Amino acid sequence: MPDLPALAEAVINGNRDEVQRLTQEAVDEGTGPEAIVNEGLISGMDVVGKKFKNNEFYVPEVLIAARAMHAGMDIIKPLLAESGIEPRGIVVIGTAKGDLHDIGKNLVAMMLEGGGYEVIDLEVDVAPETFVEAINEHSPDVVAISALLTTTMPAMKDTIEALAGAGVREQVKVIIGGAPVTQSYADEIGADGYAPDAASAVDLVASLIA
Ligand code: B1M
């Protein structure tokens, strides 16, 4: 029997070698990739997200757990592709134009990947037209924009307007976040949602594309 609870525990503890070993063991024993992802890797990241929300875990622990989760995903990804299992959704993410802060955005991206979503990361300083191009290229369910500067928050509004101008606004849900961002700002600029932290962003995406 593959030990998927132990795999989840190894993710929570950020033990990359153990995650690799237990993932490979489960594959060798014939466990389906979906079970390994859902009952091992995602289940572990789920706990990490909850601990982060409750201030039991801080940024370094989340980054280390995400790195461990990725080590398992590297083994599973080719198998998922072969078995034709679809991701829960596709999210295009980036920081707003002019903004170079990427630590929070990376956390959100990693938690989303840990939650079973395919994430297309446009990195930092992403122009509104680049978001439009990414929608046309990847057909995502959600566009996620992060901003850490009050001066780059207006670029989130510009992005939403650019999506509308290009006729793709109705194809996607737009979520925003970052330290200076609020729910009322999201309402003001017509975003579909706001999340205060990375774990809440995963819940938000799930609720928006359910
Ligand atoms: Co900058 N910086 N910085 N900085 N920096 C801040 C943000 C600042 C608050 C510092 C300060 O003055 N006290 C201030 C902004 C003031 C403001 O506008 N209100 C500031 C400034 C002014 C600047 C520069 C202008 C400084 C200068 O050059 N004069 C400059 C701007 C560069 C640019 O972007 N164009 C600048 C540069 C930098 C560094 C490059 C040195 C570095 C960034 C390195 C990097 O990201 N690779 C940096 C850093 C590290 C910070 C602080 C110290 C930390 C930010 C961080 O990573 N936090 C920050 C001060 C502080 O916060 N103590 C500061 C940890 C991260 C996990 O949190 O990003 O909030 P956060 O993400 C959270 C949530 O917000 C949420 O989830 C995450 C985890 O739960 N979240 C989302 C984030 N994105 C989300 C998206 C979502 C949902 C949730 O959905 C889409």
Side-chain angles (χ1 to χ4, degrees):
M1 266 297 277
D3 198 347
L4 297 180
L7 176 56
E9 199 59 35
V11 170
I12 298 164
N13 295 331
N15 190 336
R16 181 160 62 171
D17 292 346
E18 190 68 354
V19 167
Q20 252 167 351
R21 190 183 69 76
L22 288 168
T23 304
Q24 193 59 56
E25 201 172 277
V27 170
D28 294 344
E29 285 175 16
T31 312
E34 205 170 3
I36 299 174
V37 172
N38 289 335
E39 292 162 44
L41 302 172
I42 291 184
S43 149
M45 279 311 281
D46 224 22
V47 175
V48 172
K50 289 195 179 105
K51 284 184 181 287
F52 184 55
K53 256 188 185 173
N54 298 335
N55 294 322
E56 290 170 55
F57 269 17
Y58 294 98
V59 172
E61 284 107 324
V62 178
L63 291 176
I64 292 167
R67 190 188 61 171
M69 183 267 301
H70 274 284
M73 280 308 287
D74 286 346
I75 298 171
I76 297 298
K77 260 186 190 158
L79 305 174
L80 281 176
E82 273 168 32
S83 59
I85 295 166
E86 296 289 324
R88 290 188 180 164
I90 303 177
V91 181
V92 160
I93 193 167
T95 64
K97 186 173 161 70
D99 204 314
L100 301 175
H101 296 85
D102 68 354
I103 299 169
K105 183 267 298 169
N106 290 345
L107 274 178
V108 174
M110 286 178 202
M111 292 298 294
L112 283 167
E113 281 186 345
Y117 296 91
E118 181 181 340
V119 176
I120 290 139
D121 190 347
L122 304 179
E123 306 291 342
V124 295
D125 186 17
V126 182
E129 51 275 22
T130 307
F131 278 108
V132 171
E133 282 162 22
I135 293 171
N136 288 328
E137 188 180 343
H138 302 286
S139 305
D141 303 286
V142 174
V143 168
I145 318 170
S146 173
L148 263 284
L149 298 171
T150 44
T151 50
T152 56
M153 284 168 63
M156 296 171 143
K157 181 170 184 269
D158 297 344
T159 302
I160 291 176
E161 285 171 3
L163 301 194
V168 295
R169 176 68 184 92
E170 300 308 318
Q171 292 174 30
V172 291
K173 300 290 184 190
V174 177
I175 69 164
I176 63 172
V181 180
T182 60
Q183 180 63 55
S184 71
Y185 187 68
D187 296 339
E188 186 187 318
I189 67 171
D192 297 296
Y194 154 78
D197 57 61
S200 308
V202 180
D203 297 340
L204 177 63
V205 166
S207 71
L208 285 172
I209 64 177

